[in-house]
Amino acid sequence: MSVFGSEGWGLGAGSGSGRLAMCSVLSFSLLCLSLLAARCHSLPLEAGNQDGVCSHQQPAQGIPSPDSTARPGGQELWAGQDSAEPQQGSGAPEATAMSALIPANGTVKAGGRWWGALRRLPEALIIGVKKGGTRALLEFMRLHPSVRALGAEPHFFDRHYGKGLQWYRNLMPKALDGQIVMEKTPRYFVTAEAPGRIHAMSKDTKLIVVVRDPVTRAVSDYTQIISKAPGIPGFETLTFKNRTTGLIDASWSPIWIGIYAQHLENWLQYFPLSQMHFVSGEKLISDPAGELGKVQDFLGLQRMITDEHFFFNETKGFPCLKKPQGNGKPHCLGKTKGRIHPDIDLGVIEKLREFYRPYNHHFYQMTGQNFGWE
């Protein structure tokens, strides 16, 4: 008798063609379930994915962790960040109703080939810079169906390198062949060991750097710090080693991070400029579709994120995401984005512009791009 009963299926135990037909039905069912699971994982968490089919998908979870605003020598000074680190087990496979039917590695074999999604090491990294617009870029890129991005900042190449590549891989979202896995940790750009460690993982890694006027970036960095430690000295006080002489304290993290040319020199020892793409933080706000188009080109992706995906929020001063069809509520970045900056003495601002000017010009020459921070 057939496993399912000869009367119900019309398949006798001795019927070779019947068993073949039954196996074909089961293989096709598993294939459909696998493709559905992969499609669910490819949908952005915030845009769409509201029909209930993919309701099991959850964003990467993490625990708050203060970002070290360390001076180059290792001394830390008033840390603060609004991102999260992934928990130890955040890379574990999702427990879903489909997981009972699909093998643990997320693949099934049908039609002579393997289908499904696997966890892979990232092919692209957003490596900086802090307060440059990295969160916005990551959320925008997650709209692309060929991008699978980790939501939390893993800080693998700066803090957790000793845990090994397998630990790092387990944090990544599952991805199909042809999809690009990526993550963002802005601290990588200013971490001396990061370029060599990333090169050791893969010399073909594509690197994305979001840069912003270093003076504005420094004020934004300070604004974030005082939101977590309101009792620290004023920006004007921390900017100078000696305000009377006008000597800038280049070791203070909010200022040190903005010396982009110095940090870039370290990366160019390991990666050619052709493997690096620089995004203008200012244009990411004023023309997000244009900047995203360049990023998609750099990653070898079809341009699928367009003006139709954006709505400018006049209150926050940032673009928000919307469905191209115009249905549903736009998705804006969190309340920590678009904070109001404190008023800074204009004389101090001018001193900082003078300080950064030669570094900016050097950075323009190194990248072949003029970001117009004058």
Side-chain angles (χ1 to χ4, degrees):
M1 176 179 287
S2 161
V3 175
F4 296 97
S6 59
E7 292 182 0
W9 280 77
L11 303 175
S15 170
S17 61
R19 288 195 299 273
L20 179 60
M22 182 173 66
C23 290
S24 298
V25 170
L26 289 174
S27 295
F28 181 73
S29 298
L30 286 173
L31 172 59
C32 291
L33 287 170
S34 177
L35 292 177
L36 176 60
R39 175 58 181 159
C40 288
H41 283 290
S42 70
L43 289 174
L45 296 175
E46 296 83 4
N49 196 10
Q50 298 173 349
D51 57 4
V53 176
C54 306
S55 59
H56 68 278
Q57 188 179 9
Q58 297 294 329
Q61 298 297 314
I63 55 176
S65 172
D67 183 19
S68 169
T69 55
R71 299 176 184 270
Q75 179 183 359
E76 295 189 1
L77 177 65
W78 300 303
Q81 78 171 42
D82 54 5
S83 61
E85 278 190 28
Q87 293 180 356
Q88 183 77 15
S90 65
E94 296 83 349
T96 71
M98 291 183 185
S99 61
L101 296 175
I102 300 175
N105 64 3
T107 65
V108 293
K109 191 172 186 179
R113 62 172 295 185
W114 289 97
W115 298 80
L118 298 171
R119 298 189 193 280
R120 304 195 307 265
L121 292 170
E123 294 100 333
L125 300 173
I126 301 174
I127 59 174
V129 298
K130 182 184 179 186
K131 307 312 297 179
T134 58
R135 171 56 58 186
L137 178 61
L138 184 78
E139 293 303 315
F140 296 164
M141 285 304 299
R142 291 175 83 177
L143 286 175
H144 202 292
S146 293
V147 170
R148 297 289 289 121
L150 179 64
E153 295 177 5
H155 285 276
F156 176 67
F157 295 105
D158 60 334
R159 296 178 185 168
H160 303 303
Y161 191 65
K163 294 183 178 180
L165 287 174
Q166 185 59 48
W167 177 88
Y168 185 47
R169 179 188 286 110
N170 287 339
L171 297 178
M172 297 301 131
K174 291 180 179 178
L176 295 167
D177 286 345
Q179 289 184 312
I180 291 178
V181 178
M182 65 189 305
E183 63 108 327
K184 76 107 175 173
T185 302
R187 195 75 188 173
Y188 293 162
F189 188 63
V190 297
T191 299
E193 299 83 5
R197 291 171 174 177
I198 294 171
H199 187 271
M201 176 187 74
S202 172
K203 62 182 179 59
D204 298 319
T205 305
K206 292 191 174 184
L207 308 169
I208 301 171
V209 191
V210 188
V211 289
R212 182 184 184 187
D213 182 333
V215 177
T216 307
R217 198 220 66 82
V219 176
S220 180
D221 199 346
Y222 174 78
T223 302
Q224 177 174 292
I225 292 171
I226 61 174
S227 72
K228 301 177 183 298
I232 70 172
F235 182 87
E236 293 87 346
T237 300
L238 296 171
T239 295
F240 296 98
K241 284 185 176 180
N242 187 324
R243 190 168 184 180
T244 302
T245 62
L247 181 62
I248 301 291
D249 186 357
S251 67
W252 184 40
S253 181
I255 293 176
W256 171 68
I257 290 174
I259 308 175
Y260 304 141
Q262 175 181 308
H263 305 303
L264 180 57
E265 287 175 351
N266 189 30
W267 287 87
L268 292 179
Q269 294 180 40
Y270 294 89
F271 293 94
L273 199 61
S274 60
Q275 277 178 238
M276 304 186 73
H277 179 74
F278 300 89
V279 176
S280 166
E282 288 82 11
K283 290 183 179 178
L284 191 59
I285 295 174
S286 63
D287 181 21
E291 286 300 292
L292 266 291
K294 297 174 186 176
V295 174
Q296 291 171 90
D297 292 346
F298 171 68
L299 295 176
L301 300 173
Q302 180 181 352
R303 288 197 177 197
M304 299 185 71
I305 306 173
T306 66
D307 283 320
E308 294 181 335
H309 290 91
F310 298 100
F311 161 79
F312 191 79
N313 186 314
E314 297 287 350
T315 302
K316 292 183 69 69
F318 279 90
C320 299
L321 297 173
K322 66 177 182 179
K323 295 181 180 179
Q325 296 81 6
N327 299 322
K329 183 179 178 181
H331 167 69
C332 296
L333 298 178
K335 62 181 180 180
T336 61
K337 306 303 178 183
R339 293 187 183 98
I340 298 176
H341 292 179
D343 292 329
I344 306 297
D345 185 285
L346 293 179
V348 174
I349 296 296
E350 183 55 36
K351 282 287 186 182
L352 279 175
R353 295 211 176 279
E354 292 176 4
F355 169 80
Y356 279 121
R357 189 167 290 119
Y359 294 112
N360 290 344
H361 288 169
H362 188 199
F363 184 66
Y364 298 165
Q365 293 171 352
M366 295 173 74
T367 61
Q369 296 178 240
N370 187 333
F371 293 92
W373 297 323
E374 299 303 320

